Amino acid sequence: METCTRCSSGFYMPSAGSSQCLPCGKMQMTPQIGSTSETDCRCPEHSFMCGERGCIPCPSGLYCPEGLGPPEQQGGFWADPNVSQCDFSVLRCRDQFECPPGMLGRCSVGREGLACNNCQASHYPQGSVCEQCREGDTLPVILLILFLLCVLFFISVSRWDPSQVSLNTV
């Protein structure tokens, strides 16, 4: 009589009557011994699934939970979500408030760009966040520009001497 044994971590047995455990492959592990399905196979914590390359180590500045999902950025770090699923370029931010932990490319409210370095349009820097401008915030700037244009116009007109203008043009 054959004894039944549970598969060790990193192996699974797809059918109850089978006598051989199958390896997960791609450097995957199973969360516990005795797995019965290939869907139990996943990358261990601190690694992530990189297509055919399998589970590879998590880059510095990113957090890789157990599973098959993509890495997440740690607070104070930023990674472009639009690059290949395996080769991440991780940038250090000025602080963890500008680049909060979470999905790749996540920035604090009102921030955008590489390492969340810029304020979005119609926003101004206020510490680590960028506050949205109110409607009236742009009016003083517009009035100042108009005033300066008027001053320049009057200066140029006041220096114009009609007696110096030649009516003969070539």
Side-chain angles (χ1 to χ4, degrees):
M1 175 163 35
E2 204 171 304
T3 60
C4 186
T5 58
R6 299 176 109 188
C7 295
S8 60
S9 181
F11 294 84
Y12 66 97
M13 188 177 299
S15 55
S18 182
S19 61
Q20 185 178 6
C21 294
L22 301 175
C24 286
K26 298 183 181 181
M27 296 181 279
Q28 296 179 80
M29 302 301 291
T30 53
Q32 69 276 340
I33 62 170
S35 291
T36 58
S37 174
E38 188 176 15
T39 59
D40 291 339
C41 298
R42 57 191 64 164
C43 292
E45 189 172 17
H46 306 297
S47 65
F48 69 99
M49 180 55 72
C50 177
E52 293 304 313
R53 289 169 52 188
C55 298
I56 62 173
C58 197
S60 180
L62 298 183
Y63 168 66
C64 297
E66 179 182 285
L68 298 174
E72 299 175 1
Q73 65 190 32
Q74 294 178 359
F77 293 90
W78 183 89
D80 189 349
N82 300 318
V83 297
S84 88
Q85 67 175 12
C86 298
D87 303 315
F88 295 100
S89 176
V90 182
L91 303 175
R92 183 179 295 274
C93 301
R94 287 184 285 237
D95 63 43
Q96 66 180 356
F97 302 109
E98 289 183 4
C99 301
M103 293 176 20
L104 298 178
R106 181 175 180 215
C107 294
S108 66
V109 175
R111 291 202 162 275
E112 65 183 4
L114 294 175
C116 307
N117 207 28
N118 304 320
C119 286
Q120 295 174 349
S122 300
H123 286 72
Y124 65 95
Q126 183 69 34
S128 294
V129 298
C130 292
E131 299 287 337
Q132 187 168 9
C133 297
R134 294 184 303 272
E135 290 291 325
D137 290 345
T138 56
L139 184 61
V141 174
I142 293 171
L143 292 176
L144 178 64
I145 291 171
L146 288 174
F147 175 75
L148 291 174
L149 288 173
C150 289
V151 167
L152 289 173
F153 174 75
F154 286 118
I155 289 173
S156 68
V157 169
S158 66
R159 291 187 180 170
W160 182 64
D161 186 1
S163 64
Q164 298 297 323
V165 175
S166 173
L167 298 176
N168 296 331
T169 58
V170 179

